[in-house]
Amino acid sequence: MNKQVFRNLSYGVYVISTLDGDRHTGCTANSAMQITSSPASIAVSINHDNYTNSCIKKTGKFAVSILSESSDPGIIGTFGFQSGRDTDKFSDVKYQVREGIAVLDDACGYIVCKVTGTLETSTHTIFLGEALDGEAAGSSAPMTYAYYHNVIKGKSPKNAPTYIPDEDTAPSQDSTKEKWVCSICRYEYDGTVPFEELPDSYTCPVCKQPKEKFMRQ
Ligand code: FE
């Protein structure tokens, strides 16, 4: 089957946060949807390998911060391309605590939920959550997954439910053009300045890793 068809499903880009004991942690996710309106409930899908998964199970609560088109793409890298096991992902972002859970300032809204049910699949847990609190913020449009792929040029991390294994091998629009790809998040540089001529201070716009993390392909 053609897995690219799944790109035609609409998604947003979110940071799912919870607690690891007293410490805030979380991960980037694209699979979140409202399930019921009264009481308001949503579902999110989190890979078993994501540290956030086990933390939500212990805490019984999670929050969804809804990223907007004006959100710093570095948030996606901070929360999506490193593990909360060994990283304090909230150390460099502004956040507030709502119902005990951290929600990001640089977002167009948040929803805090208590877990009311789970469904296990072979790779992911679907958490069903009843909303305890929520607020919309800012005037920027919510970031869609299509925007992340087409405008920010981001890729899906391996743990995403929407990961397509052969995404990297899709033919480039210009196969003769040299490609420089971030080895951490797979962002493909497409600026007009040749990659080698970028200053040493250049960092990946998605995951903020330095220029030396890029590889020629
Ligand atoms: Fe990167």
Side-chain angles (χ1 to χ4, degrees):
M1 72 174 287
N2 180 4
K3 289 194 172 183
Q4 292 294 335
V5 70
F6 291 109
R7 285 279 174 270
N8 290 349
L9 288 171
S10 296
Y11 298 95
V13 184
Y14 314 100
V15 168
I16 310 297
S17 51
T18 188
L19 283 169
D20 175 22
D22 296 333
R23 193 176 70 108
H24 297 296
T25 192
C27 65
T28 308
N30 68 299
S31 297
M33 63 186 290
Q34 184 170 2
I35 304 296
T36 59
S37 63
S38 182
S41 69
I42 62 172
V44 297
S45 176
I46 308 286
N47 194 288
H48 294 154
D49 292 338
N50 279 15
Y51 190 57
T52 302
N53 186 314
S54 59
C55 293
I56 293 175
K57 284 173 180 163
K58 285 182 201 149
T59 306
K61 275 186 185 177
F62 64 88
V64 178
S65 295
I66 304 164
L67 299 191
S68 76
E69 291 182 359
S70 65
S71 294
D72 179 359
I75 291 173
I76 300 167
T78 298
F79 284 88
F81 293 96
Q82 51 185 351
S83 175
R85 279 185 189 87
D86 44 33
T87 310
D88 179 5
K89 297 182 177 182
F90 282 88
S91 63
D92 290 328
V93 295
K94 290 185 178 168
Y95 64 92
Q96 307 165 48
V97 178
R98 293 285 181 263
E99 298 287 337
I101 309 296
V103 296
L104 300 179
D105 287 355
D106 191 4
C108 59
Y110 69 83
I111 302 163
V112 186
C113 294
K114 66 174 180 184
V115 175
T116 55
T118 58
L119 174 64
E120 295 296 342
T121 73
S122 57
T123 56
H124 290 69
T125 305
I126 298 165
F127 291 97
L128 189 63
E130 187 177 315
L132 302 172
D133 187 21
E135 191 57 77
S139 56
S140 188
M143 184 188 294
T144 63
Y145 210 46
Y147 183 92
Y148 171 63
H149 281 278
N150 298 333
V151 180
I152 300 179
K153 306 289 183 190
K155 301 285 173 103
S156 306
K158 210 170 177 183
N159 284 350
T162 50
Y163 175 67
I164 297 175
D166 56 358
E167 190 176 42
D168 285 340
T169 60
S172 167
Q173 285 187 332
D174 180 359
S175 58
T176 61
K177 194 177 166 191
E178 187 175 68
K179 289 201 295 184
W180 285 89
V181 177
C182 174
S183 62
I184 305 300
C185 75
R186 300 187 292 146
Y187 165 79
E188 184 181 327
Y189 175 73
D190 71 344
T192 51
V193 176
F195 187 82
E196 287 97 329
E197 294 176 22
L198 291 171
D200 290 342
S201 58
Y202 174 80
T203 56
C204 173
V206 175
C207 74
K208 303 293 185 196
Q209 293 296 310
K211 186 181 175 187
E212 69 210 40
K213 295 286 187 185
F214 279 74
M215 295 188 304
R216 192 199 308 253
Q217 292 193 341

